[in-house]
Amino acid sequence: MAGSERCRRARATWEVSESEPEVEPESHGPSAAPEGSPPAAAAVRPKRRRAAGEAEARRRERQRRKEREALEKREAAAAWRLLRPERCLRLLEVCVDPGFLEDPGSDIWIEALRSLDCKNSIEPQAIPCSITWRRNMPSIPSAPDDCMVKTEEEKEVLVLLEPADFLKRLCSLTQTFVDASSGSQPDLNQVLPLASLEGSSTKTYSLAVIGLDAYRCNQEQNGWQPLSPGKQSPRSQPGPELFMTQQEILEAQVVLQLWGNIDVQLLDTWQEFGEHVCALTKAIARRPYKSQLEMQELSFCTAGVSGKGLRVEKDGTGLWQVWKRQIQQFNRVSPATAAAIAEAYPSPGLLVQAYEECSTEDEKLLLLSNIPVKSDISGKDHRVGPDLSRRIYLFMVSTNPDLILDLTV
């Protein structure tokens, strides 16, 4: 009886458990989602999409920045190629006043000017018988068909004066010295009237005179002659400008240079005038290249090997030679002395570091004095000495731009 009763209870229990629905255990953890919410994977997916979109935007921004930097480098390289000395003359145009064509000798210098690789034009100028320059600089095109030419007026103006006219202007200028009070500014309009010219304050003027000495000699030989004692012909009476001495002419030129920044070139022939115009044209053409070169680091290192500079490679080869050349620029420093100092301290940074390691000021001043120097000329070795050691130390550490290094000057 007892065994049958246990079997019935077990069967009843089994039947009840089979009829009851299965209930999943209730989750009380932090990851449980409320009713009606999307699955966890769907909730994370928008964040991943946003992160992927931000990464793509950053990648595109980096790509645009790289393309912009590459474009700027190409434009800078193209602009630099336009300023090279072998191409700068092609961008310059020489503007000559038609008054030059009246003299037969002008063909000589115009032919010399045409030999240059630059453009020439005959057009009226603000000042008669003057020459100006302008630069036709093409802009760097951002598109293949987008090319414009920007014209810039150069500040130089060259004025040609006849010898007689030049002497009269100088005589008027010297007369203002006599009449003016002490310390007053000379009236330069007596030589070159510029008050009525637009933009004259931004220009740099220079004068050229051809055959001044020949004109003065000719006037002295074939000038007025006395007809009788105490009587002269009014027509043959010379002007006061013919009595100007060479000293007075030089003093007037100095006044023009100091007060008006007006340079005067006294030339003998038209050929010399042509050489002067060609040299001035080349200097004006190369000015942007030199200005751009001075803005670079180590501007004193030129791209080629010449007497004015040393070649420095991208890996730094040649910097030691530049350092030695810099030491040699001090007064009374031979190449052997500069080489000995550069071998002891191969760079300016190492020399400054050696100064910092010195304990006293006297030790710094005499740091280089005992460096031996091998002389190739006399065959006798000597040392750098305390004077040069002191000058180099002051040059390396002083912050005073007006400091006089050489006490013997």
Side-chain angles (χ1 to χ4, degrees), residues 42 60 62 83 134 150 201-202 267:
R60 292 180 180 178
R62 287 195 300 269
L83 299 179
R134 59 171 169 248
K150 180 181 179 182
S201 59
T202 61
L267 308 170

Side-chain angles (χ1 to χ4, degrees), residues 6-20:
R6 285 194 298 271
C7 291
R8 284 196 300 269
R9 289 178 181 176
R11 187 166 50 249
T13 305
W14 177 257
E15 291 172 354
V16 171
S17 63
E18 283 183 341
S19 62
E20 293 179 353

Side-chain angles (χ1 to χ4, degrees), residues 127 155 182 239 242 269 271 274 286 346 358 372 378 405:
I127 302 177
K155 63 180 182 178
S182 177
L242 294 180
T269 61
Q271 183 177 357
R286 295 173 182 174
C358 295
S378 62
L405 302 178

Side-chain angles (χ1 to χ4, degrees), residues 71-86:
L71 179 61
E72 292 176 356
K73 289 182 179 179
R74 289 195 299 269
E75 292 179 351
W80 179 253
R81 285 194 297 270
L82 290 176
L83 299 179
R84 298 290 296 178
E86 60 272 11

Side-chain angles (χ1 to χ4, degrees), residues 61-71 74:
E61 180 63 26
R62 287 195 300 269
Q63 183 66 22
R64 285 194 295 267
R65 185 168 60 251
K66 289 181 180 179
E67 293 177 356
R68 185 168 57 252
E69 292 176 355
L71 179 61
R74 289 195 299 269

